């Protein structure tokens, strides 16, 4: 189990993380979310031992993770980290990159292991391709496979699908997260994409203003987002009478005392997002059909 106790960290004199406490159990999937600049990447690097803490402790079971002041070679066998900007060896093949840290002592096993990982990241047809000729998204997948090669106990992923296009993203996400669950590998995923969280994460931690704003089960946070920041992560929302109401919860009815005027209508695929004026405030709601600008409507909320 990973235990983070009273962790504080600054770059020079600028505090980025202040007094964080959380745990990740074996095989558990934790998502770290927060706005750009909130310190997600910094937190992953700190957990990996890239920097020295101002104060606090990071433990994996009974091993304390130490920064460069106390540990000359960054990294541990039980933990792998895939950075937002990954560094691969460009002049060798995909297969060679993935197998780079696997022993040559059992060539057959090495071959099998590499083939299995190529399947997980859906790169089997590219095994003999030189990395320098791959796209950004393909490189990101090679970096993921390489981090998994030696079967870590915990893996830290920084926006793991950020370079991967929508065509591949869904299936790759399923394949990777399924692999991690099946092999009881704990993972911490920094992301700003709700699709990386919903359906996969066991817990979700929101970073805001250097601290953990909330740490809970995604379903709980979705149903009861305690702050606008958390709600905004899940989608379009309104604050009406001091309550957070998602756009999909606000509905058009024949009669109510929430009277609004349609301002704009956005086609969203299986629904339309309607922007309306409610007593001088802009509100958003979802509707099956398009609505004309200027139309007077009545709304209801749960
Ligand atoms: P996120 O990943 O959530 O976007 P980061 O962890 O990258 O956030 O950055 C958090 C804050 O730390 C930002 O204000 C950023 O400018 C600052 N920062 C990041 N890396 C460094 C660094 N190496 N030196 C100084 N400041 C940094
Ligand atoms: Mg980042």
């Amino acid at each position: 189990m990973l235990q983070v106790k009273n962790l504080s960290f600054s770059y020079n004199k600028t505090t980025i993380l202040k007094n964080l406490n959380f745990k990740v159990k074996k095989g558990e999937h934790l998502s770290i979310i927060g706005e750009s600049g909130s310190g997600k990447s910094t937190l992953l690097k700190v957990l990996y031992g890239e920097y020295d803490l101002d104060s606090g402790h990071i433990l994996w079971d009974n091993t304390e993770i130490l920064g460069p002041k106390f540990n000359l070679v960054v990294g541990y066998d039980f933990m792998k980290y895939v950075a937002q900007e990954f560094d691969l060896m460009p002049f060798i093949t995909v297969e060679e990159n993935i197998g780079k840290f696997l022993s040559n002592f059992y060539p057959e096993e090495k071959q099998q292991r590499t083939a299995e990982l190529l399947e997980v990241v859906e790169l089997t047809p590219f095994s003999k391709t030189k990395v320098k000729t791959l796209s950004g998204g393909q490189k990101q997948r090679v970096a993921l496979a390489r981090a998994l090669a030696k079967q870590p106990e915990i893996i830290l992923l920084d926006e793991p699908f950020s370079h991967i296009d929508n065509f591949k993203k869904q299936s790759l996400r399923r394949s990777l997260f399924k692999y991690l669950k099946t092999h009881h590998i704990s993972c911490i995923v920094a992301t700003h994409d709700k699709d990386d969280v919903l359906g996969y994460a066991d817990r979700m931690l929101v970073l805001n203003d250097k601290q953990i704003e909330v740490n809970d089960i995604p379903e709980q946070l979705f149903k009861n987002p305690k702050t606008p920041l958390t709600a905004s992560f899940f989608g379009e929302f309104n604050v009406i009478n001091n309550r957070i109401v998602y756009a999909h919860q606000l509905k058009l009815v024949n009669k109510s005392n929430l009277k609004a005027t349609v301002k704009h209508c956005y086609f969203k695929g299986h629904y339309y997002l309607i922007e309306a004026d409610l007593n001088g405030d802009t509100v958003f709601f979802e509707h099956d059909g398009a609505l004309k600008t200027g139309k007077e409507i009545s709304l209801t909320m749960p």
Side-chain angles (χ1 to χ4, degrees), residues 11 16 34-43 51 84 158-159:
Y11 287 117
I16 306 293
E35 291 179 303
S36 181
S38 60
K40 302 181 294 295
S41 297
T42 301
L43 175 56
Y51 298 120
Q84 238 170 316
D158 200 349
E159 314 222 0

Side-chain angles (χ1 to χ4, degrees), residues 46-287:
V46 164
L47 293 178
Y48 190 59
E50 263 193 46
Y51 298 120
D52 295 302
L53 305 179
D54 295 352
S55 58
H57 298 277
I58 305 163
L59 291 159
W60 176 252
D61 294 334
N62 296 316
T63 308
E64 174 142 22
I65 295 174
L66 299 167
K69 227 185 251 173
F70 306 94
N71 185 26
L72 284 178
V73 185
V74 173
Y76 297 83
D77 275 347
F78 54 82
M79 182 184 263
K80 283 281 168 276
Y81 162 62
V82 184
Q84 238 170 316
E85 48 315 308
F86 25 86
D87 62 307
L88 298 167
M89 304 188 185
F91 301 108
I92 60 173
T93 67
V94 167
E95 190 176 67
E96 287 162 340
N97 263 278
I98 296 173
K100 187 80 192 136
F101 302 109
L102 293 175
S103 161
N104 285 321
F105 205 71
Y106 305 102
E108 223 163 88
E109 276 181 24
K110 179 171 175 169
Q111 179 60 39
Q112 259 177 21
R113 179 81 184 126
T114 309
E116 181 192 16
L117 293 166
L118 281 167
E119 288 281 318
V120 174
V121 297
E122 303 176 359
L123 278 180
T124 307
F126 294 90
S127 64
K128 308 281 184 214
T129 307
K130 286 215 168 60
V131 159
K132 70 175 164 82
T133 66
L134 298 179
S135 72
Q138 289 166 332
K139 284 183 190 150
Q140 190 162 33
R141 281 141 66 194
V142 178
L144 288 169
R146 193 182 56 175
L148 290 172
K150 282 178 86 178
Q151 193 89 352
E153 293 172 57
I154 176 165
I155 189 165
L156 313 176
L157 304 175
D158 200 349
E159 314 222 0
F161 312 111
S162 57
H163 299 261
I164 294 161
D165 57 57
N166 280 336
F167 301 106
K168 263 263 166 279
K169 205 182 274 187
Q170 314 287 355
S171 77
L172 180 65
R173 200 188 263 131
R174 272 195 297 273
S175 160
L176 177 71
F177 290 154
K178 213 181 274 172
Y179 180 90
L180 296 177
K181 267 286 168 214
T182 321
H183 293 81
H184 309 291
I185 300 170
S186 306
C187 70
I188 305 185
V189 183
T191 181
H192 53 239
D193 187 345
K194 70 177 190 312
D195 291 335
D196 288 345
V197 178
L198 294 174
Y200 301 108
D202 298 304
R203 296 191 75 84
M204 156 179 159
L205 182 160
V206 182
L207 277 184
N208 186 25
D209 194 19
K210 308 176 180 70
Q211 288 174 300
I212 297 177
E213 183 170 283
V214 281
N215 174 358
D216 208 332
I217 296 162
E219 191 173 339
Q220 202 54 43
L221 290 179
F222 175 78
K223 287 183 179 157
N224 184 18
K226 294 194 184 75
T227 63
L229 179 70
T230 305
S232 68
F233 177 72
F234 292 115
E236 211 71 64
F237 73 99
N238 310 287
V239 179
I240 302 173
N241 303 336
N242 290 320
R243 274 184 53 205
I244 290 172
V245 183
Y246 290 111
H248 71 265
Q249 293 177 309
L250 194 59
K251 292 200 173 3
L252 190 132
V253 286
N254 283 335
K255 237 177 124 179
S256 79
N257 36 23
L258 285 182
K259 303 227 181 298
T261 313
V262 174
K263 290 205 298 195
H264 202 93
C265 179
Y266 303 89
F267 174 63
K268 287 286 186 184
H270 65 280
Y271 67 94
Y272 289 81
L273 182 70
I274 315 288
E275 185 180 336
D277 182 281
L278 178 75
N279 306 321
D281 289 329
T282 299
V283 293
F284 291 92
F285 67 98
E286 293 180 8
H287 193 61

